Each structure stands twice: as structure tokens, then as C-alpha cells.
Amino acid sequence: MTERSIVPREAGAEKRRLILAAAVRVFARDGYHTSRVGDIAEEAGIAHGLLYHYFSSKEEVLETVFRDNWRELLGLIRRVEESDEPADEQLRGIAKILLRSWRNDPDLVTVMVREVARSPHLQGQVEEIREGFASIQRVIERGQAQGVLRADVDARLASWIFYGGLEELLTGWVLGQLPDGDEEVARAERTIIDVVCGGLTARDTVPA
Amino acid sequence: MTERSIVPREAGAEKRRLILAAAVRVFARDGYHTSRVGDIAEEAGIAHGLLYHYFSSKEEVLETVFRDNWRELLGLIRRVEESDEPADEQLRGIAKILLRSWRNDPDLVTVMVREVARSPHLQGQVEEIREGFASIQRVIERGQAQGVLRADVDARLASWIFYGGLEELLTGWVLGQLPDGDEEVARAERTIIDVVCGGLTARDTVPA
Amino acid sequence: MTERSIVPREAGAEKRRLILAAAVRVFARDGYHTSRVGDIAEEAGIAHGLLYHYFSSKEEVLETVFRDNWRELLGLIRRVEESDEPADEQLRGIAKILLRSWRNDPDLVTVMVREVARSPHLQGQVEEIREGFASIQRVIERGQAQGVLRADVDARLASWIFYGGLEELLTGWVLGQLPDGDEEVARAERTIIDVVCGGLTARDTVPA
Amino acid sequence: MTERSIVPREAGAEKRRLILAAAVRVFARDGYHTSRVGDIAEEAGIAHGLLYHYFSSKEEVLETVFRDNWRELLGLIRRVEESDEPADEQLRGIAKILLRSWRNDPDLVTVMVREVARSPHLQGQVEEIREGFASIQRVIERGQAQGVLRADVDARLASWIFYGGLEELLTGWVLGQLPDGDEEVARAERTIIDVVCGGLTARDTVPA
DNA sequence: AATGAATGAGCATTCATTCAT
DNA sequence: GATGAATGAATGCTCATTCAT
């Protein structure tokens, strides 16, 4: 429970985490390209050379930040996928996971949204990202098979649209363009489900 | 009529465009950070020093690429906004504009999606981006006011979700993760409207 | 004749030579590994970045120093080889060339002896070095064929021995272990020919 | 008799030798400058920190490699010098010692030829090297005094030339430029004595 | 003795930007 | 306008060495 209980082997993993956490803060503050290895080390309270005992390069630090976190999100998403809730509730669950990550760790979301959702850095990770989309797609397909969701829509495209909507909401917060707060996050959750499941089109409310 | 008829002032603008086009190709191929000013110059067939007669910095080139193009898109979006079509048709129009830009100029979309939709570079452009969202938001609000779209949804959040869905579809093509082709783009258009307007939820087919 | 007469194209070659000359001085003073690129630039009176307009790396500078000079020596040696002097006189000519280079440019000889006559750096140059030995070997073989030199000695090994003797004399001067001066160099020339051609063994002077 | 019988003090010396042997292999393979302390430690099967219990620096390792070996060679050379053989036989003995060291320990010779026979590292060892040359010089001088060797040659220069020839032969093997093998080494021995003692010049064989 | 985490000086190289011609 | 030589700030990374354990 105390620091002293950490056995040597864990100490290495611990320091690794320390560096990753520092990197997230620095990347969130300055952006990956602008951040210097020395900044990360300073934020972590270590000599910059030590960073290279744990990571082979600055880029590997970013990749690790992404991979570790995406893996965790993926695990949560899969748990939702494997639940026996109806598809629309599963989508709501997935939205919850992603949107709430903003409140849990804004710096981390900032890095994920800014640096990873794109180009050069994600080259090696495309496969892992794809799994997230695949999970959403399966949820939709199952919903269609069970008649909960309409079947005349391309599930794959729909999964990209759904994910894109979520990511854009996160981006809105990251950029300070959308109002922040627990209440706002809850509203965003409701809204994306309202939009994606219910649709924006007004229905003629059937009169009594 | 011939090139020689171009008056000097236009010649400058022409070379400017030449450089911007080259920059788009290079940024699309290598990414902004990896691209060197010399690469752009080489692609444009000029000496690298000359680039600084037309732009004050490498970053200004990127900003110009973004601004010029975003402004054009904005103009198109506004024309849709000002049309007297119903809101859902206006949204379809906006989707068409954005999604078809992929087929028109994949390199440009690649750069917009990868380099600009986020982080440090768009600092100064946030205002211009905001206008795009505002346009979409107004379309939705008008649709709600006219009873075409349901009014119990936050129009601002909905506009972000809609835009996010569009951008993610573009990203899918940029990353080579979604099947490409005119047909596919048309399907994506239909799908995003189906999803965002109609909603994914299955409706009880009206009984006879 | 004046500096102003140097045309632009030659200016580049001129600066190249300037850098090489500075590098020779610095390498001779501090050794290749200890020398920093900045030292060479400073010695040449240029910004260190400029060095990379002319050479791709610090190592290429060393290689060029070696190659340029070795090529020159090779040319001189070949001229001797192609002369119609007897073999022993040709060997004397070769000794002259190599030993006098010490007086001509001690820094250059220092670099050649210290940094190049060995290991990692000469990897790519082995072929060029080999040509020097080959030239000496041919001189010896021709001498043997013409009966000027004894034929019961392996010409290849003899060429290495001869060259080694010369290089060691240069090394002695480089290390400050052998007395220096024009007179000393002349004596060294005589000595190596005395030893290698005449042999150390005392002959019974033929009685009258 | 067993390893366990080695008393502690000897154990230390043993490990020291282990490190030196590893260093020779690594230096021979990668060159001194390219080799890292960690490489030596890994080759020796120890933690790199431990190396500093036995040596004060990486350079001291190289110096020790040189000194230990040179001392041994020096001892052998002196034994030859102190023998009562004629001078030319003594020179042959010295040649044997140096040339055969190639077959005994090619890695060691590689290091000696590449890293030590020159420059920065030998600064402190010049004195010890000088003794080797002095020994050869004394052999020659004694040969001259006894009338076995011609007296009209500078013994000091001759000793450098002789040593240079030997070193160059070793270099030829190190660089893979001269054919290797016991037979070849024996021929080299003969050749250097033929050349240095007999001389390359053809003699008119006195008819009976 | 032994380990290997930690330190930090040191350095080659890159590249955006300037400017003389 | 056009060129490309020249500048020099900036930085990722290496690795010899130290030292707590």
C-alpha cells in the first residue's frame, strides 16, 4: 500500500508510468512536435537520459501513451459489446465511455485527439484503432439483426459516423469551443444518442 | 489568352498558386512537420529562397492552404444555407460539398484532415472554422423552428456531431480504411443523412 | 589571378578546399574523434551548418581528405612507375615522394598516418590504397624480371615491407620520435634504399 | 586445483583478465571508439558497472591491453637480444615473435595495429614503445660493431624501417589484404629477413 | 563484489530563414 | 523576381561514469 511496498521489479514499471504521465501533460500543453524530450524529463523529475532507459525514442513515448490508453478503452468498449443490453443502449454505453474520458483525464484526451487520431504517428496503430471501429460496427450489425436498428443502413459507415461524432465532441472540449462540465458531458451523451439513434427528423407524434 | 498575356501582377498570383499546390502535394505525401521548405520548392520547381517572396514562413503556407480552401467550402455551405430547401435537404447539400471534396482533391482533403482539423496550427483559424459550424447550426435551428427537425435536441451539439461524422468519413478515405470511389461517396452521403436525420432506430412500419 | 577572378562555379570548389584544409589542421591537432564539426567550421571561418552544404558528414570530410591526397600521391607514384629508370631508382623515387610529403604538409601526413592507415575509416578506401601497393609491387616485379632485383623474393610481401618502412618513418616524425629536418629526411631516403635494396648484411669487400 | 581453490585475490585478477580478454574481442570487432563499455561488459558476462571496480575508465582498459601485451612482447624480444646469436638471426627471432603473434591471437594484433600503434591513446605509452625500438636498434648496432651488419647505415632509422615492415605485414593480415595461414606467416618471416638483411638488389653470384 | 538505475555533458545534424548577388 | 550560399538556433540521442542498494 505504501511506496515502500513496491518491489524492485515494480519500481521500473512505476517509473515508466511516471514518465508517461509526465509526457501526457507536456504533450497536452505544448503538442508533441513542440515538446522537447528534456521537457518531459523535467516534468517527470528525472534526467533526460533516463527516459531512454524506458523508451527508445520520443516517438515511442507517444505511441505507448496511445496504445496503453486505447487498449483500455477497447477493453471497456468490448465489455459493453458483450453485455446483453439492446444495441441502442450499447451505443449509449460506448458514448459514455469515450465522452467521460474527457472528464477523467482531459490531458490524455487532448493528446489522443490532437496527436494520434491522425497521420504519421498512427501508422503502426491503425490495426488497433480499427478494432475499436469493428466493435462499434458489430454492435450496430447485431442491432440490425435483432430488429432494434434499421437494416437499410451500411453498418460500417454508420460506425465511422458515430465514432466521428464522438470524437468531434471531444475535440470541441479540447479546443475550448464547447462548454465544459459534468452536466454538459451528460447532455452530449444524450444528444449523440438522440441524433444517431432517434434521428434529427421530426416525427408526427401520433395523436392519442 | 496566352501565358504571356498575363500581366505581372497576375503572374505573381499564379506563382503563389503554384507554390500552394505544390505544398498541398508535399504535405499530403509527407505530412507538414516532416516536409521541408526545400521539398515544397523543389515540387514547385523554384529555388527555396523564392518561397519567402510569397509567404513569410512555412507555417503561413499551411495556413493559407487551409484558409483559402476553407473559405471556399464556407461559401458553398452558405449558399446551401441560404437556399430555400428544407433543412434536411440542406444538410444533405452540406454533406455533398464536404464528401465530394475528397474526390475532387484528395491531397487537399488529406492535408485538411490531418494537419488542420486540430492542434497548434489552427490556433488562428478557430474563428473561421467556427463559422462553418455556425452555418450548420443555423440550418438545424431553422429546421427546428420550422418543425422539420425535432426541437428537443441541442442544435449546437448536433452540428458538431454532424460535422464530426463527415470528417470521420473523410478520414476513413484518407487513411485508406474505407472503400473509395464515386459510388462509395454517394453511399456515404446517403448514409450520413439516413443516420443523422432518420436515426438508426428501427421504426414500426405503419400497420395497414 | 586575384580572388575576384574566381568565377562562381569555382567559388564552391574553393570553399570546399578551404574546409578540407581547415579539417586537416584540426584533425592533425586534435585527432579525428576528438575534433568537433564546430571546430572545423571555426577553423575555416564559416558557420558549422555550411559544412553540410559541401560534405554529408564529418566522416565524409575525413574520407575526402584521404582520397584527394592519396590520389595525388598515387599519380606521382605512377609517374615514377612509368619512368624508364631502373627499379631501385624507381623505389628511391617513391620513397622521395612519400617522405618529402612530410616536409610539404606535416598536418596532412599526420592525419594520413594517424587516422587513415587503419580501421573503420578506410573501409571504403581499401581499394584505392591497394593500388598504391600494386604500383610498388609492379616496380619490384619489373626489377626482378629485368634482373635488377633478386627474383627469389615475394614481390607482394616486399612491397608491403617497403611501404611499411616508409610509413613508419613518417610515423616517427609525426610522433616526434625521429629527428626532423630536410637533412634528416634526406638521410631517411638514403637509409630505406640502403636497407631495402642493399640489405643490412655486411658484404665481404671483394679484395683487389 | 579447482576454481574454488583460487584465493580471493587471485579471483580478482582472474576477472580482470576476463574483462581484458572480452575487451580485446570487442575492440577487434568494432574498434575502440565504436565499442561501448556496455559491450565489453556484456561480452565479459558482467554488469557494466563492475568494470569500474577493475579499471578507472574505458581508456585504461585499452592502455592495459596494450601495456600487458607489449610488455610480454618486449620480454620476448629482450630474450632474443640477450641471446648470443648473430645479429641477423636475432632480427629473424624478433620477426618471428611479432609475426607469429598474429596466429596466436589475431584479435589482439588487430587491436594493437589499429588502435595503439598511433595517436592519442599511445601518448602515455610512447616510452614503452620506444623500448621496443631501442632493443631492435641495439641488435643492429651490435651487429654493426661485430661486422655482421654493414656499419654505414643509421641503426636507428633502420630499426624503424624494420619494425615498420613487420607492422605492415601484420596490418595486411588484419585488413585481410595479405593471404593468411601458417605457411604464409613463415614466408613473411623469410621475406622480411631476405629483404632487410640481404637486400633486394640482385648480386652477381661469384662463379666458382 | 555486483548490479543496473540514474546522471548529464557532449555533439552531429537538420532546416527554417536571411541576404548578397 | 530569382538563386542558393550562408547562418545558427534547436534538439534528439549516446554513453562514459557514478552510486545507492
Side-chain angles (χ1 to χ4, degrees), chain A residues 118 150 196-198 200-201 203, chain B residues 118 196-198 200-201 203:
Chain A
R118 26 227 133 243
R150 49 193 286 206
V196 170
C197 292
L200 282 173
T201 306
R203 313 284 168 198
Chain B
R118 18 244 151 207
V196 170
C197 292
L200 282 174
T201 307
R203 312 286 169 198

Side-chain angles (χ1 to χ4, degrees), chain A residues 26-185:
Chain A
V26 173
F27 289 160
R29 192 209 317 137
D30 303 331
Y32 172 75
H33 277 102
T34 311
S35 304
R36 283 161 298 150
V37 170
D39 295 336
I40 301 171
E42 191 185 19
E43 177 78 23
I46 61 168
H48 66 274
L50 188 56
L51 188 144
Y52 290 90
H53 275 254
Y54 295 93
F55 303 95
S56 66
S57 68
K58 180 184 159 188
E59 182 157 4
E60 206 209 27
V61 174
L62 179 62
E63 282 170 5
T64 304
V65 164
F66 164 73
R67 192 172 1 241
D68 285 3
N69 191 248
W70 187 252
R71 217 164 257 173
E72 197 186 319
L73 287 176
L74 218 53
L76 295 173
I77 290 173
R78 285 211 174 116
R79 205 171 314 163
V80 168
E81 187 195 339
E82 288 157 8
S83 75
D84 49 6
E85 295 176 296
D88 53 350
E89 281 310 305
Q90 287 184 328
L91 290 178
R92 186 187 306 274
I94 291 169
K96 263 196 177 110
I97 290 165
L98 290 170
L99 297 182
R100 293 195 180 175
S101 68
W102 164 249
R103 300 293 287 172
N104 286 339
D105 195 339
D107 283 347
L108 185 55
V109 170
T110 298
V111 174
M112 300 286 283
V113 162
R114 263 201 207 152
E115 312 294 348
V116 194
R118 26 227 133 243
S119 118
H121 310 308
L122 89 184
Q123 290 302 58
Q125 277 80 333
V126 173
E127 192 48 46
E128 316 208 31
I129 295 177
R130 197 199 300 253
E131 292 180 46
F133 285 80
S135 205
I136 297 174
Q137 188 178 335
R138 282 192 300 270
V139 165
I140 294 175
E141 287 170 338
R142 213 164 300 141
Q144 293 177 320
Q146 299 174 345
V148 179
L149 302 183
R150 49 193 286 206
D152 63 338
V153 160
D154 184 311
R156 187 180 199 188
L157 292 174
S159 69
W160 281 70
I161 292 165
F162 178 64
Y163 182 81
L166 289 168
E167 194 180 65
E168 199 73 32
L169 291 168
L170 292 172
T171 302
W173 291 318
V174 165
L175 297 181
Q177 295 291 311
L178 285 180
D180 189 11
D182 286 337
E183 182 48 49
E184 301 295 337
V185 171

Side-chain angles (χ1 to χ4, degrees), chain C:
Chain C
M1 239 86 167
T2 67
E3 284 206 8
R4 300 202 71 251
S5 76
I6 292 172
V7 298
R9 192 157 48 151
E10 283 172 341
E14 186 59 28
K15 179 121 329 165
R16 212 181 137 87
R17 259 175 259 128
L18 181 73
I19 294 170
L20 287 171
V24 166
R25 268 172 273 138
V26 173
F27 290 160
R29 191 207 320 136
D30 302 330
Y32 172 75
H33 277 102
T34 310
S35 304
R36 285 161 296 149
V37 169
D39 294 337
I40 301 170
E42 190 185 20
E43 178 79 23
I46 61 166
H48 66 275
L50 188 55
L51 186 144
Y52 290 91
H53 276 254
Y54 296 94
F55 303 94
S56 66
S57 68
K58 179 184 160 189
E59 182 157 4
E60 206 210 26
V61 174
L62 179 62
E63 283 170 4
T64 304
V65 165
F66 165 73
R67 194 173 359 243
D68 285 2
N69 190 247
W70 187 251
R71 218 164 256 173
E72 197 186 321
L73 287 177
L74 217 53
L76 295 173
I77 290 172
R78 283 210 175 117
R79 204 171 312 163
V80 169
E81 187 196 339
E82 289 157 8
S83 75
D84 50 6
E85 295 175 298
D88 54 350
E89 280 310 306
Q90 288 185 330
L91 290 179
R92 186 186 308 275
I94 291 170
K96 262 193 178 115
I97 290 165
L98 289 171
L99 297 182
R100 292 193 181 176
S101 69
W102 164 249
R103 300 293 287 171
N104 286 338
D105 196 338
D107 283 346
L108 186 54
V109 170
T110 298
V111 174
M112 300 286 282
V113 162
R114 263 201 206 151
E115 312 293 348
V116 195
R118 27 227 133 244
S119 123
H121 311 308
L122 88 183
Q123 291 301 59
Q125 276 81 332
V126 173
E127 191 49 45
E128 316 209 31
I129 295 177
R130 198 199 299 253
E131 292 179 48
F133 286 80
S135 205
I136 298 174
Q137 187 178 336
R138 284 192 299 271
V139 166
I140 294 174
E141 286 169 340
R142 213 163 300 140
Q144 294 177 321
Q146 300 174 343
V148 179
L149 301 184
R150 48 193 287 208
D152 63 337
V153 160
D154 184 311
R156 187 181 201 191
L157 292 176
S159 70
W160 281 72
I161 292 165
F162 178 63
Y163 182 81
L166 289 168
E167 193 181 64
E168 198 73 31
L169 290 168
L170 292 173
T171 302
W173 291 319
V174 166
L175 298 182
Q177 295 291 312
L178 286 181
D180 190 12
D182 286 336
E183 182 50 49
E184 302 295 336
V185 171
R187 168 177 299 123
E189 270 169 43
R190 264 178 280 127
T191 305
I192 193 159
I193 295 304
D194 280 353
V195 169
V196 169
C197 292
L200 282 174
T201 307
R203 314 284 168 198
D204 302 301
T205 320
V206 183

Side-chain angles (χ1 to χ4, degrees), chain D residues 15 29-30 33 38 68 81 121 143 156 175:
Chain D
K15 182 139 301 183
R29 192 209 318 138
D30 303 330
H33 275 103
D68 285 2
E81 187 195 340
H121 310 307
R156 187 184 200 187
L175 296 182

Side-chain angles (χ1 to χ4, degrees), chain B residues 105-117:
Chain B
D105 196 339
D107 283 347
L108 185 55
V109 170
T110 298
V111 175
M112 300 286 284
V113 161
R114 265 200 206 150
E115 312 294 347
V116 195

Side-chain angles (χ1 to χ4, degrees), chain D residues 40-51:
Chain D
I40 301 171
E42 190 186 20
E43 178 80 22
I46 61 167
H48 67 275
L50 188 56
L51 187 145

